[in-house]
Amino acid sequence: MKAFLLLALSAAALSSAAAFVPPSSSAKPSVAPSAFRVRGTVRSKCGSGIELNMMDPVEVSSAAVSASSLVLAETEPWVQPLANVLGPFLNIFSFAMLCRVVISWYPTTNVNELPFNLAVWPTEPLLRAIRGLVPPAFGVDITPIVWLAVFSFFNEILLGQQGLLTMKIKYGI
């Protein structure tokens, strides 16, 4: 624990020391004498014999800029507009199906009145299409749950953090 604490404090001290501008010939160095610069890194020997290496922030930022420019790739022109349309569509219909699930808990609700008709009218054609295929479970219509699962699945597969369209946009895969 003591070594870890010493390592953390030394790293904090070195991170502030690593941000120095290389000294000119007339200026005194602003880094402690125990730290010296070797090929773009700042090295320091701690009292416990632990050696710390830290890259110069200028080199780190230039490496990050060049790495980020390599990550972004040129993609086909249809990918970004499709993702921009598909994302809100899947999210709105997922929310509408979730609303349909909640509305189904209250059977006396008049679904032709506002605000219920905003969730019922767009989703009813989809639900009607599979009501014959998916039987009710324990007397409850589960077709909105099936559609909610379908929309969530496609949202994750296409637009999720590692979705196909997301990977295509980021990496050109």
Side-chain angles (χ1 to χ4, degrees), residues 24-92:
S24 63
S25 59
S26 63
K28 275 187 111 180
S30 61
V31 180
S34 63
F36 55 95
R37 191 168 184 172
V38 178
R39 281 186 250 137
T41 62
V42 175
R43 296 188 138 178
S44 174
K45 282 257 191 185
C46 299
S48 63
I50 299 173
E51 186 174 320
L52 297 174
N53 293 332
M54 181 169 285
M55 287 186 68
D56 186 20
V58 175
E59 291 179 17
V60 171
S61 64
S62 66
V65 168
S66 65
S68 67
S69 64
L70 292 176
V71 170
L72 297 177
E74 190 69 30
T75 60
E76 286 85 7
W78 58 269
V79 177
Q80 187 66 44
L82 179 65
N84 290 342
V85 170
L86 203 56
F89 173 79
L90 290 172
N91 287 329
I92 288 170

Side-chain angles (χ1 to χ4, degrees), residues 4-169:
F4 175 74
L5 209 53
L6 180 64
L7 182 66
L9 289 174
S10 299
L14 278 179
S15 66
S16 62
F20 79 99
V21 177
S24 63
S25 59
S26 63
K28 275 187 111 180
S30 61
V31 180
S34 63
F36 55 95
R37 191 168 184 172
V38 178
R39 281 186 250 137
T41 62
V42 175
R43 296 188 138 178
S44 174
K45 282 257 191 185
C46 299
S48 63
I50 299 173
E51 186 174 320
L52 297 174
N53 293 332
M54 181 169 285
M55 287 186 68
D56 186 20
V58 175
E59 291 179 17
V60 171
S61 64
S62 66
V65 168
S66 65
S68 67
S69 64
L70 292 176
V71 170
L72 297 177
E74 190 69 30
T75 60
E76 286 85 7
W78 58 269
V79 177
Q80 187 66 44
L82 179 65
N84 290 342
V85 170
L86 203 56
F89 173 79
L90 290 172
N91 287 329
I92 288 170
F93 267 91
S94 294
F95 182 72
M97 289 299 172
L98 188 61
C99 290
R100 284 298 299 257
V101 169
V102 173
I103 290 170
S104 71
W105 296 343
Y106 303 99
T108 59
T109 304
N110 185 2
V111 293
N112 292 322
E113 293 178 359
L114 276 173
F116 305 116
N117 60 359
L118 295 175
V120 172
W121 290 349
T123 58
E124 189 58 36
L126 295 171
L127 296 174
R128 195 177 316 125
I130 65 166
R131 272 204 184 110
L133 300 174
V134 179
F138 304 106
V140 178
D141 183 22
I142 61 168
T143 53
I145 297 170
V146 171
W147 276 110
L148 179 63
V150 168
F151 288 139
S152 297
F153 175 76
F154 279 116
N155 191 22
E156 191 63 32
I157 291 297
L158 296 174
L159 302 168
Q161 191 171 1
Q162 294 180 342
L164 295 174
L165 292 178
T166 304
M167 298 296 267
K168 183 84 170 154
I169 291 168

